[in-house]
Amino acid sequence: TPIMLFSDCTGSMGYLAKEVASQLAPLIKALYNSVVVTDPQIAIGLIGDVMYDDSPLQVTQFESDVSLCDQIEKMYIEGGGGANHFESYDLAWYFAANQTYTEGPKGYIFTIGDEPPMPENQATDARYAFKIKHHFGRHYRYRQNIVSAYHC
């Protein structure tokens, strides 16, 4: 079962991303020993601000053991962000909907943050963050794609 945990790592939430990272090993062990989720495959992501940060999205590979913690240690908590009153959570959801493939049961996505996502995905933001060259319209809506593969 794919499980993705994304945390806002902008200035106001950077402390929480560090706290979550420090508690991941016990959480991962609990998930693997749980009978609630069968065969968990876990990926962790940090979400910055696509308008202001150098690293607006960082995501580990899906892992099924505590080796995930080694990848997390290499992640960069930028602590930036801006004064736009929105966060780039849609980048994480775009990534989940379009850059991952899941088989079997629906996965789960958890997003931890303190501001709302952008009212509509800005296609230019996704193109910038993922270095996408093709044109997919002014507002590319992919939220409907994600609900087919994940519980949000």
Side-chain angles (χ1 to χ4, degrees):
T1 304
I3 300 170
M4 301 185 85
L5 172 62
F6 292 102
S7 181
D8 181 337
C9 70
T10 59
S12 61
M13 291 291 291
Y15 75 93
L16 185 60
K18 289 178 186 175
E19 182 66 25
V20 168
S22 73
Q23 299 299 317
L24 278 176
L27 172 67
I28 291 167
K29 288 177 185 175
L31 282 171
Y32 293 139
N33 294 327
S34 169
V35 294
V36 176
V37 179
T38 58
D39 190 29
Q41 303 290 314
I42 303 169
I44 304 294
L46 295 178
I47 306 167
D49 189 311
V50 74
M51 302 296 287
Y52 298 98
D53 292 346
D54 293 328
S55 303
L57 182 66
Q58 301 171 67
V59 184
T60 68
Q61 297 181 99
F62 281 99
E63 297 290 353
S64 58
D65 57 31
V66 293
S67 66
L68 181 64
C69 296
D70 296 334
Q71 293 179 51
I72 293 165
E73 288 178 5
K74 296 175 184 174
M75 297 176 98
Y76 170 60
I77 298 176
E78 193 164 2
N84 55 0
H85 305 293
F86 298 106
E87 297 297 357
S88 302
Y89 307 135
D90 279 11
L91 292 181
W93 304 334
Y94 175 90
F95 179 85
N98 296 287
Q99 305 293 318
T100 65
Y101 173 75
T102 61
E103 291 181 353
K106 254 184 166 179
Y108 297 89
I109 293 182
F110 300 93
T111 307
I112 301 169
D114 65 345
E115 292 193 21
M118 293 182 183
E120 290 186 36
N121 174 55
Q122 303 297 315
T124 54
D125 295 345
R127 282 198 302 267
Y128 165 76
F130 294 102
K131 297 175 178 37
I132 297 169
K133 303 257 187 248
H134 68 278
H135 177 75
F136 42 52
R138 177 157 165 66
H139 295 292
Y140 173 66
R141 297 172 193 258
Y142 50 80
R143 291 181 185 176
Q144 65 273 13
N145 294 345
I146 197 168
V147 295
S148 66
Y150 291 93
H151 298 282
C152 302

